[in-house]
Amino acid sequence: MNASAQHEFHSTTEKIYQQLECDVLVIGSGAGGLSTAVTAAVQGLDVVVAEKATVFGGTTAVSGGWLWIPNTPHAQRAGQAEPIERPKQYLKNVLGDKYDEARIHQYLTKAPEMVDFFEKSSAVQFNASALVPDFFDIEGSRVGWRSIVAAPFDGRELGENLHLLKPAIPETTVWGMGIASGADMKHFINTFRAVSSFFYATKRVLRHFIDLLFRHRSTQIVNGNALVARLLKSALDQKVRLLPSHAAQQLIYENGRVVGAIFKTPQGLIRILAKHGVVLATGGFPHDETRKQQLFEHVALGTPHFSAAPETNTGDGLKLAEAVGAEVDKTLAWSGAWAPVSLIPRLDGTLGRFPHLVERGKPGLIAVLKNGKRFTNEGESYPLFIKDLFRHTAKGDLARCWLICDHKFIRRYGLGAVKPFPISMQPWIENGYLKQAYSLQELAQQCGLDAVQFKDTVTHYNIHAQQGQDPDFQRGSTPYQKAQGDADHQPNPCVAPIEKGPFYAVEIVPGSLGTFAGLVTDDDARVLDQQHHLPITGLYAVGNDMNSIMGGQYPSGGITLGPAMTFGYIAANHLVKQARLSKSTAKQKK
């Protein structure tokens, strides 16, 4: 521990009002933290989860809930197992010189084991899916459909503990009801096009309003919210102690090991001692302005960054670990999980952040810069969209663009926080989030675009879109793009003209779903010191506090939650092993 941390520890000990003890202390409650807690608790350890926010779930609770895991038990049962070398080769091609054989092998070996453990030993269940192919179609690689998603969860199973679950981002829901990708979303899109979809959507909405009446929130829980709900149910079943409103202030470092932490609570400071280890899972640094200045080039150049991750994720875990000698990797090509985001004016004066992950791939939408020109394949993955935005932003300019569509598109698919028909668009027009105009020239004026070039761009795009073609960016040419499109629209599920007004636009700013740069760890998720790269005894990091095994790249959907849960499982098993060894040693001494 450095001198300043030691001094702070001594100064705060006088103010401690309570002390707790446990076997394992987990700081943070996303998928990484909760998977660690459940795995350790199932195997008999006494676990405490301390969460800074008043609710549990972190970034996971507002995510899509996808995990990238080749060779899951689902794939094996379906006869779709593949040699481990196939996903390894894919990752080698995407990660380049950041490919770490030891950690990737550990991940690909342990991830299917983790899925099997949770499905057999907890309330966590997954659905296999053919909805999300890998992002890159690279020669020499086999594009896989390797992502699984948390199964929907009935919130009534949490009983009186439902209030502990962090809700989804309000603007990504329909009146507070989450919509899952795949069949669920398709039914809502087709509500007034198919009788079966109408009855499906009506049933979902009616139950939702009953939930609001009696429980004040939806119990039809999907996506990442379902993953957290299932992990919370599992933690409660295993008697894990869940402590909300506990903000970690510092680690307790004694005799060469981390033995606990001090937390600030509404009642005062509390010390929690952990017999076998402390696990950092605080969600990375998406709202740490200082570290973003250091690691996000666009922020250093003057473009603000707007992450969709919870605002409580301010890099606490990284700071705590650095104070006892750990190191944050500063060498990644990209330190954040980039995503296009729009800013939503809220009634309380704050700005909501909507991540645009779905509608960009649908037919009848383009993205343009202020010069009125397209700059990217709109249906590509969300990180590539933002990388192209950075690449085409002139030096000295703010990185900004606009998503453009017509009335037919927005009423069928929605646009950002604006929902499809029959939900009214008027509130979004009135608060300025959605721009509406009856001509392209008028829309250009509202958005500050080059009107002449913008009209030429749309005209040129429409000529080819009539035949389902996009010669400029080859939209609809990869499995991922096709999956993001609309299979019912032909000849190209990703391309349609923008023809009849009124026309609409939403401004896009650089954002993220979380961060990649994190604490340097070993294959067991133990945090390493910066001097000798040896484990700091008693300290682990998982989730976005752990440096991404993907080396700052984004190979597919689920490459954050997959490693988060897997290394949480790995860390917990290492802790269990240490606990059993300690118990055995104590018996021998007797």
PDB file of all heavy atoms in Angstrom, residues 261-277:
ATOM      1  N   ALA A 261     -12.208  -4.128   2.819  1.00  0.00           N
ATOM      2  CA  ALA A 261     -12.380  -2.774   2.289  1.00  0.00           C
ATOM      3  C   ALA A 261     -13.219  -1.949   3.250  1.00  0.00           C
ATOM      4  O   ALA A 261     -13.952  -2.491   4.089  1.00  0.00           O
ATOM      5  CB  ALA A 261     -13.032  -2.813   0.911  1.00  0.00           C
ATOM      6  N   ILE A 262     -13.113  -0.628   3.103  1.00  0.00           N
ATOM      7  CA  ILE A 262     -13.912   0.313   3.879  1.00  0.00           C
ATOM      8  C   ILE A 262     -14.911   0.973   2.944  1.00  0.00           C
ATOM      9  O   ILE A 262     -14.579   1.367   1.822  1.00  0.00           O
ATOM     10  CB  ILE A 262     -13.017   1.361   4.557  1.00  0.00           C
ATOM     11  CG1 ILE A 262     -12.125   0.691   5.600  1.00  0.00           C
ATOM     12  CG2 ILE A 262     -13.858   2.451   5.211  1.00  0.00           C
ATOM     13  CD1 ILE A 262     -11.127   1.623   6.235  1.00  0.00           C
ATOM     14  N   PHE A 263     -16.153   1.086   3.417  1.00  0.00           N
ATOM     15  CA  PHE A 263     -17.240   1.608   2.591  1.00  0.00           C
ATOM     16  C   PHE A 263     -17.909   2.792   3.260  1.00  0.00           C
ATOM     17  O   PHE A 263     -18.033   2.842   4.492  1.00  0.00           O
ATOM     18  CB  PHE A 263     -18.299   0.522   2.360  1.00  0.00           C
ATOM     19  CG  PHE A 263     -17.799  -0.668   1.604  1.00  0.00           C
ATOM     20  CD1 PHE A 263     -17.138  -1.694   2.265  1.00  0.00           C
ATOM     21  CD2 PHE A 263     -17.968  -0.753   0.238  1.00  0.00           C
ATOM     22  CE1 PHE A 263     -16.672  -2.805   1.577  1.00  0.00           C
ATOM     23  CE2 PHE A 263     -17.500  -1.857  -0.468  1.00  0.00           C
ATOM     24  CZ  PHE A 263     -16.851  -2.880   0.203  1.00  0.00           C
ATOM     25  N   LYS A 264     -18.370   3.717   2.421  1.00  0.00           N
ATOM     26  CA  LYS A 264     -19.190   4.814   2.891  1.00  0.00           C
ATOM     27  C   LYS A 264     -20.644   4.426   2.682  1.00  0.00           C
ATOM     28  O   LYS A 264     -21.054   4.040   1.586  1.00  0.00           O
ATOM     29  CB  LYS A 264     -18.879   6.095   2.110  1.00  0.00           C
ATOM     30  CG  LYS A 264     -19.646   7.317   2.608  1.00  0.00           C
ATOM     31  CD  LYS A 264     -19.248   8.557   1.827  1.00  0.00           C
ATOM     32  CE  LYS A 264     -19.987   9.799   2.334  1.00  0.00           C
ATOM     33  NZ  LYS A 264     -19.619  11.009   1.563  1.00  0.00           N
ATOM     34  N   THR A 265     -21.441   4.532   3.754  1.00  0.00           N
ATOM     35  CA  THR A 265     -22.863   4.197   3.693  1.00  0.00           C
ATOM     36  C   THR A 265     -23.663   5.369   4.234  1.00  0.00           C
ATOM     37  O   THR A 265     -23.095   6.291   4.834  1.00  0.00           O
ATOM     38  CB  THR A 265     -23.175   2.946   4.529  1.00  0.00           C
ATOM     39  OG1 THR A 265     -23.184   3.299   5.923  1.00  0.00           O
ATOM     40  CG2 THR A 265     -22.145   1.840   4.289  1.00  0.00           C
ATOM     41  N   PRO A 266     -24.975   5.383   4.063  1.00  0.00           N
ATOM     42  CA  PRO A 266     -25.790   6.467   4.635  1.00  0.00           C
ATOM     43  C   PRO A 266     -25.645   6.573   6.147  1.00  0.00           C
ATOM     44  O   PRO A 266     -25.846   7.643   6.722  1.00  0.00           O
ATOM     45  CB  PRO A 266     -27.225   6.072   4.243  1.00  0.00           C
ATOM     46  CG  PRO A 266     -27.062   5.263   3.002  1.00  0.00           C
ATOM     47  CD  PRO A 266     -25.793   4.502   3.200  1.00  0.00           C
ATOM     48  N   GLN A 267     -25.282   5.472   6.803  1.00  0.00           N
ATOM     49  CA  GLN A 267     -25.133   5.484   8.260  1.00  0.00           C
ATOM     50  C   GLN A 267     -23.724   5.864   8.713  1.00  0.00           C
ATOM     51  O   GLN A 267     -23.509   6.120   9.895  1.00  0.00           O
ATOM     52  CB  GLN A 267     -25.473   4.099   8.828  1.00  0.00           C
ATOM     53  CG  GLN A 267     -26.935   3.704   8.708  1.00  0.00           C
ATOM     54  CD  GLN A 267     -27.312   3.300   7.298  1.00  0.00           C
ATOM     55  OE1 GLN A 267     -26.502   2.724   6.569  1.00  0.00           O
ATOM     56  NE2 GLN A 267     -28.531   3.630   6.888  1.00  0.00           N
ATOM     57  N   GLY A 268     -22.761   5.877   7.792  1.00  0.00           N
ATOM     58  CA  GLY A 268     -21.378   6.163   8.144  1.00  0.00           C
ATOM     59  C   GLY A 268     -20.448   5.154   7.502  1.00  0.00           C
ATOM     60  O   GLY A 268     -20.836   4.433   6.575  1.00  0.00           O
ATOM     61  N   LEU A 269     -19.216   5.085   7.992  1.00  0.00           N
ATOM     62  CA  LEU A 269     -18.237   4.174   7.421  1.00  0.00           C
ATOM     63  C   LEU A 269     -18.363   2.786   8.032  1.00  0.00           C
ATOM     64  O   LEU A 269     -18.626   2.627   9.222  1.00  0.00           O
ATOM     65  CB  LEU A 269     -16.820   4.707   7.662  1.00  0.00           C
ATOM     66  CG  LEU A 269     -16.462   6.023   6.971  1.00  0.00           C
ATOM     67  CD1 LEU A 269     -15.041   6.429   7.317  1.00  0.00           C
ATOM     68  CD2 LEU A 269     -16.616   5.907   5.459  1.00  0.00           C
ATOM     69  N   ILE A 270     -18.142   1.786   7.184  1.00  0.00           N
ATOM     70  CA  ILE A 270     -18.200   0.399   7.638  1.00  0.00           C
ATOM     71  C   ILE A 270     -16.988  -0.346   7.091  1.00  0.00           C
ATOM     72  O   ILE A 270     -16.560  -0.117   5.952  1.00  0.00           O
ATOM     73  CB  ILE A 270     -19.512  -0.281   7.186  1.00  0.00           C
ATOM     74  CG1 ILE A 270     -19.570  -1.715   7.680  1.00  0.00           C
ATOM     75  CG2 ILE A 270     -19.693  -0.220   5.687  1.00  0.00           C
ATOM     76  CD1 ILE A 270     -20.911  -2.392   7.426  1.00  0.00           C
ATOM     77  N   ARG A 271     -16.423  -1.215   7.907  1.00  0.00           N
ATOM     78  CA  ARG A 271     -15.305  -2.044   7.488  1.00  0.00           C
ATOM     79  C   ARG A 271     -15.824  -3.465   7.247  1.00  0.00           C
ATOM     80  O   ARG A 271     -16.519  -4.034   8.086  1.00  0.00           O
ATOM     81  CB  ARG A 271     -14.225  -2.069   8.568  1.00  0.00           C
ATOM     82  CG  ARG A 271     -13.022  -2.931   8.207  1.00  0.00           C
ATOM     83  CD  ARG A 271     -12.138  -3.216   9.399  1.00  0.00           C
ATOM     84  NE  ARG A 271     -11.455  -2.021   9.863  1.00  0.00           N
ATOM     85  CZ  ARG A 271     -11.630  -1.465  11.052  1.00  0.00           C
ATOM     86  NH1 ARG A 271     -12.508  -1.999  11.903  1.00  0.00           N
ATOM     87  NH2 ARG A 271     -10.960  -0.391  11.415  1.00  0.00           N
ATOM     88  N   ILE A 272     -15.484  -4.029   6.079  1.00  0.00           N
ATOM     89  CA  ILE A 272     -15.842  -5.418   5.783  1.00  0.00           C
ATOM     90  C   ILE A 272     -14.554  -6.192   5.558  1.00  0.00           C
ATOM     91  O   ILE A 272     -13.775  -5.864   4.656  1.00  0.00           O
ATOM     92  CB  ILE A 272     -16.760  -5.527   4.554  1.00  0.00           C
ATOM     93  CG1 ILE A 272     -18.032  -4.696   4.759  1.00  0.00           C
ATOM     94  CG2 ILE A 272     -17.122  -6.994   4.296  1.00  0.00           C
ATOM     95  CD1 ILE A 272     -18.991  -4.731   3.580  1.00  0.00           C
ATOM     96  N   LEU A 273     -14.320  -7.197   6.403  1.00  0.00           N
ATOM     97  CA  LEU A 273     -13.133  -8.029   6.295  1.00  0.00           C
ATOM     98  C   LEU A 273     -13.476  -9.311   5.548  1.00  0.00           C
ATOM     99  O   LEU A 273     -14.529  -9.916   5.775  1.00  0.00           O
ATOM    100  CB  LEU A 273     -12.591  -8.357   7.682  1.00  0.00           C
ATOM    101  CG  LEU A 273     -12.168  -7.155   8.543  1.00  0.00           C
ATOM    102  CD1 LEU A 273     -11.654  -7.627   9.890  1.00  0.00           C
ATOM    103  CD2 LEU A 273     -11.110  -6.330   7.820  1.00  0.00           C
ATOM    104  N   ALA A 274     -12.595  -9.714   4.641  1.00  0.00           N
ATOM    105  CA  ALA A 274     -12.806 -10.922   3.834  1.00  0.00           C
ATOM    106  C   ALA A 274     -11.663 -11.892   4.098  1.00  0.00           C
ATOM    107  O   ALA A 274     -10.496 -11.576   3.858  1.00  0.00           O
ATOM    108  CB  ALA A 274     -12.880 -10.564   2.356  1.00  0.00           C
ATOM    109  N   LYS A 275     -11.992 -13.064   4.581  1.00  0.00           N
ATOM    110  CA  LYS A 275     -10.986 -14.048   4.979  1.00  0.00           C
ATOM    111  C   LYS A 275     -10.144 -14.530   3.799  1.00  0.00           C
ATOM    112  O   LYS A 275      -8.940 -14.744   3.917  1.00  0.00           O
ATOM    113  CB  LYS A 275     -11.674 -15.234   5.646  1.00  0.00           C
ATOM    114  CG  LYS A 275     -10.731 -16.248   6.284  1.00  0.00           C
ATOM    115  CD  LYS A 275     -11.500 -17.418   6.883  1.00  0.00           C
ATOM    116  CE  LYS A 275     -12.430 -16.951   7.989  1.00  0.00           C
ATOM    117  NZ  LYS A 275     -13.141 -18.103   8.636  1.00  0.00           N
ATOM    118  N   HIS A 276     -10.792 -14.700   2.621  1.00  0.00           N
ATOM    119  CA  HIS A 276     -10.075 -15.327   1.507  1.00  0.00           C
ATOM    120  C   HIS A 276      -9.827 -14.414   0.310  1.00  0.00           C
ATOM    121  O   HIS A 276      -8.954 -14.716  -0.509  1.00  0.00           O
ATOM    122  CB  HIS A 276     -10.823 -16.577   1.050  1.00  0.00           C
ATOM    123  CG  HIS A 276     -10.987 -17.598   2.132  1.00  0.00           C
ATOM    124  ND1 HIS A 276      -9.909 -18.208   2.739  1.00  0.00           N
ATOM    125  CD2 HIS A 276     -12.094 -18.090   2.747  1.00  0.00           C
ATOM    126  CE1 HIS A 276     -10.347 -19.044   3.675  1.00  0.00           C
ATOM    127  NE2 HIS A 276     -11.665 -18.978   3.700  1.00  0.00           N
ATOM    128  N   GLY A 277     -10.575 -13.315   0.171  1.00  0.00           N
ATOM    129  CA  GLY A 277     -10.287 -12.437  -0.947  1.00  0.00           C
ATOM    130  C   GLY A 277     -11.347 -11.400  -1.218  1.00  0.00           C
ATOM    131  O   GLY A 277     -12.492 -11.508  -0.769  1.00  0.00           O
TER     132      GLY A 277
END
